[in-house]
Amino acid sequence: MAGNPAVSDVVAALPLPALAIDTSEQIIAINDAAQKLLTLPALGRHFITALRQPAVVEAVERCLGTGKSANAQFLSRENATDTTYDVAVRSVPPADVALVTFTDITHVAAAGQMRRDFVANVSHELRTPLTALTGFIETLQGPARDDPAARDRFLDIMMKEAGRMNRLVGDLLSLSRVEADERVRPTAQIDLMVILNTVVRNIAPLATEAHIDLNADLPESPIILEGDADQLTQVFTNLIENAIKYGGRDKAVHIDVIESDHDTALRAPSVRVCVRDEGPGIAAVHLPRLTERFYRADSHRSRVLGGTGLGLAIVKHILNRHRGRLKVTSQIGQGSEFTVVLPQSLSGGG
Ligand code: ADP
């Protein structure tokens, strides 16, 4: 017992939740953080009744039995959120005390879960058009082999499904490129007005086709910012395409640019580009989640219109890189407004 006070001092001083177990299998020291995790008073208890979770108990048994290091995961729930800890069990000679420390790996576990969800989503998104394509190929090989009218119709649908897969793969590549350089600040001097005029010009045929009046009220003078021209082109293309797609026939889409010396959102000089449609609007519950990958407010409509569910996720990442913001306001039946807020200079404020 002579060494115990030293062990408890070391355990108390550790910045992680920690406890120590001696060869009689009792907890001989525990710090406040570990005690909080275990809830029941643990000092002096047998470790099995204090730790309880089988994986952790097994790791301690292995370490006490063999003297070898062992690790396990400890799952907890704190302040109404699930937490995950990596538990490291190490033997401390000469008394062969087992030192148990808990490292919070909740964010790592959450990232792993996100990755699994993402792969599942991508697979699902690709499988839908692939299943349609396979079905049509089989029909063309069999029943519709000698039916030229059906063949043409099916080939049209197959082309559309292939286009959907192509867009999805294109958006996934964009997203990964944008994510890869999200931390690299753009340094090129660009004229926002040149970008907006180009986007509006390129999108005009799409608006005409959809019977949409594209109402762009753009300033004549240049607005020079530090930015990545290709990426900002993508931001405005995605937002205006969405406004046309979801805005509906025979309506208008308005694009306005407002410069401000002191933006309330950025606390710095800014440029705001507002893209407003007169469509059905988006219910308030969806607004905070619109920029999540594959999140769709109206799933059916998005799919019919050939959406990938990635457009706004790409917009968000590009704006993060530019230290900008995306603000969305919408009223059911009145339309939606997507506002891009960009700082006038990346070096100051924001
Ligand atoms: P999608 O490829 O599905 O359009 P986005 O990431 O661009 O994906 O948009 C996510 C979702 O946000 C869309 O599925 C749609 O439900 C909703 N949305 C985006 N823009 C608008 C808009 N202007 N009006 C109504 N809903 C919109």
Side-chain angles (χ1 to χ4, degrees):
M1 293 294 280
N4 289 353
V7 171
S8 56
D9 286 345
V10 171
V11 167
L14 282 172
L16 299 171
L19 54 88
I21 301 163
D22 70 3
T23 44
S24 73
E25 304 192 338
Q26 284 187 341
I27 295 181
I28 53 164
I30 180 164
N31 64 15
D32 291 347
Q35 184 55 69
K36 253 193 224 130
L37 272 183
L38 300 183
T39 55
L40 280 182
L43 196 62
R45 253 177 208 276
H46 193 280
F47 76 86
I48 293 182
T49 60
L51 294 172
R52 292 191 304 215
Q53 296 188 15
V56 181
V57 167
E58 210 175 285
V60 174
E61 277 169 350
R62 209 166 338 131
C63 181
L64 285 176
T66 64
K68 289 210 176 99
S69 302
N71 284 67
Q73 282 201 354
F74 178 82
L75 308 175
S76 182
R77 194 168 169 76
E78 293 157 72
N79 305 323
T81 43
D82 292 332
T83 50
T84 307
Y85 287 83
D86 174 51
V87 179
V89 192
R90 302 283 180 267
S91 182
V92 185
D96 294 332
V97 165
L99 180 66
V100 182
T101 52
F102 297 73
T103 308
D104 190 345
I105 55 160
T106 306
H107 57 290
V108 179
Q113 185 60 42
M114 267 175 68
R115 204 167 42 238
R116 285 191 291 279
D117 288 350
F118 181 66
V119 171
N121 276 329
V122 171
S123 313
H124 174 75
E125 297 282 341
L126 279 171
R127 181 176 285 159
T128 311
L130 207 50
T131 306
L133 278 176
T134 317
F136 284 120
I137 290 169
E138 276 168 9
T139 315
L140 285 174
Q141 284 173 330
R145 184 191 287 272
D146 301 315
D147 181 345
R151 196 168 53 212
D152 285 350
R153 206 172 63 247
F154 291 159
L155 283 173
D156 270 355
I157 306 175
M158 289 168 72
M159 194 65 183
K160 246 189 220 138
E161 295 298 337
R164 182 193 294 278
M165 289 174 73
N166 206 9
R167 271 196 305 282
L168 180 63
V169 172
D171 277 358
L172 284 169
L173 287 173
S174 283
L175 192 61
S176 87
R177 263 197 305 270
V178 170
E179 278 184 329
D181 59 18
E182 191 167 333
R183 284 159 206 274
V184 185
R185 296 271 166 257
T187 50
Q189 299 280 317
I190 52 107
D191 180 356
L192 194 62
M193 287 311 105
V194 170
I195 291 176
L196 272 173
N197 275 305
T198 311
V199 171
V200 169
R201 209 173 38 245
N202 290 343
I203 265 180
L206 189 73
T208 312
E209 199 182 305
H211 290 248
I212 297 257
D213 181 14
L214 203 53
N215 196 342
D217 184 15
L218 305 179
E220 298 281 317
S221 45
I223 297 182
I224 308 295
L225 299 174
E226 285 151 20
D228 180 315
D230 287 345
Q231 290 191 340
L232 291 176
T233 301
Q234 186 160 22
V235 164
F236 298 118
T237 304
N238 286 0
L239 294 181
I240 300 171
E241 266 181 14
N242 275 355
I244 293 172
K245 243 172 25 182
Y246 298 104
R249 233 178 137 80
D250 297 323
K251 300 268 175 58
V253 167
H254 308 269
I255 303 156
D256 293 291
V257 177
I258 306 159
E259 286 183 86
S260 153
D261 285 341
H262 185 79
D263 194 280
T264 42
L266 298 183
R267 293 164 198 243
S270 77
V271 189
R272 290 183 170 225
V273 181
C274 309
V275 179
R276 181 164 58 84
D277 64 59
E278 298 171 350
I282 307 163
V285 282
H286 299 299
L287 296 184
R289 300 193 57 191
L290 286 185
T291 57
E292 286 176 20
R293 297 152 168 182
F294 298 118
Y295 189 85
R296 293 171 169 104
D298 181 343
S299 202
H300 176 70
R301 215 171 144 64
S302 163
R303 281 175 212 281
V304 169
L305 296 169
T308 60
L310 294 174
L312 292 179
I314 294 171
V315 165
K316 187 189 79 176
H317 282 287
I318 293 177
L319 293 183
N320 280 350
R321 182 178 176 216
H322 287 77
R323 295 201 175 164
R325 305 253 196 294
L326 178 70
K327 298 202 158 292
V328 190
T329 53
S330 185
Q331 224 152 26
I332 294 292
Q334 309 273 312
S336 314
E337 183 169 77
F338 287 75
T339 304
V340 169
V341 191
L342 287 169
Q344 287 193 20
S345 159
L346 285 184
S347 38

